[in-house]
Amino acid sequence: MSKLTHSKPARSEPIVIDLSPIEFTQLPSPPLLIDVRSSLEYFTGHAPNARNLSLPRILMGLSLTQWFLPQWFRELSKEQPIATICLTAHHSPIAAKKLADAGFTTVYNITGGMIEWRRSGLKTTKVRFQAN
């Protein structure tokens, strides 16, 4: 008698696509860029149009309660392409995987982080405060 085996369909792991800073800037339609550094690091200089959402807030907001996440993030569609960046690409892959695990369908990680961004000669922006 032959033994029947049933195989479960392979569960596809969420995919994170690595891009260099140059590759990111050459995309015809760049995704929303999330800088996962602290607010202080973000204020010292960030990629143009990057939104700041620190890695701890992402981890807490996607694991514990979404109230750790800002409203602009909670309102994002899971189909919204997202890219993550940090200082050296140690924290951004963690954030990118967490976002992919949370159901975001297109997630990129910027390799080399802001160090590589600057080394590549790409433009950065600083948040400017005005005195009242």
Side-chain angles (χ1 to χ4, degrees), residues 84-94 109-115:
T84 59
I85 192 167
C86 63
L87 182 62
T88 61
H90 285 92
H91 292 143
S92 59
I94 297 167
N109 173 58
I110 307 303
T111 60
M114 286 303 297
I115 297 288

Side-chain angles (χ1 to χ4, degrees), residues 3-16:
K3 187 176 182 181
L4 294 175
T5 58
H6 296 279
S7 60
K8 293 181 182 177
R11 181 177 175 255
S12 62
E13 286 294 314
I15 297 174
V16 174

Side-chain angles (χ1 to χ4, degrees), residues 70-84:
Q71 185 168 347
W72 65 263
F73 183 86
R74 293 192 312 262
E75 292 173 351
L76 289 177
S77 162
K78 298 288 186 183
E79 285 73 41
Q80 166 70 52
I82 293 179
T84 59

Side-chain angles (χ1 to χ4, degrees), residues 26-40:
Q26 293 174 345
L27 291 173
S29 197
L32 170 65
L33 182 58
I34 299 178
D35 190 320
V36 301
R37 298 177 298 159
S38 71
S39 296
L40 179 60

Side-chain angles (χ1 to χ4, degrees), residues 22-86:
I22 296 287
E23 290 169 327
F24 174 80
T25 60
Q26 293 174 345
L27 291 173
S29 197
L32 170 65
L33 182 58
I34 299 178
D35 190 320
V36 301
R37 298 177 298 159
S38 71
S39 296
L40 179 60
E41 290 174 297
Y42 176 81
F43 287 134
T44 64
H46 57 273
N49 301 316
R51 303 287 305 258
N52 184 226
L53 181 56
S54 70
L55 177 60
R57 285 186 73 188
I58 290 172
L59 296 176
M60 288 187 289
L62 294 177
S63 298
L64 302 173
T65 176
Q66 65 175 283
W67 295 111
F68 282 108
L69 300 168
Q71 185 168 347
W72 65 263
F73 183 86
R74 293 192 312 262
E75 292 173 351
L76 289 177
S77 162
K78 298 288 186 183
E79 285 73 41
Q80 166 70 52
I82 293 179
T84 59
I85 192 167
C86 63

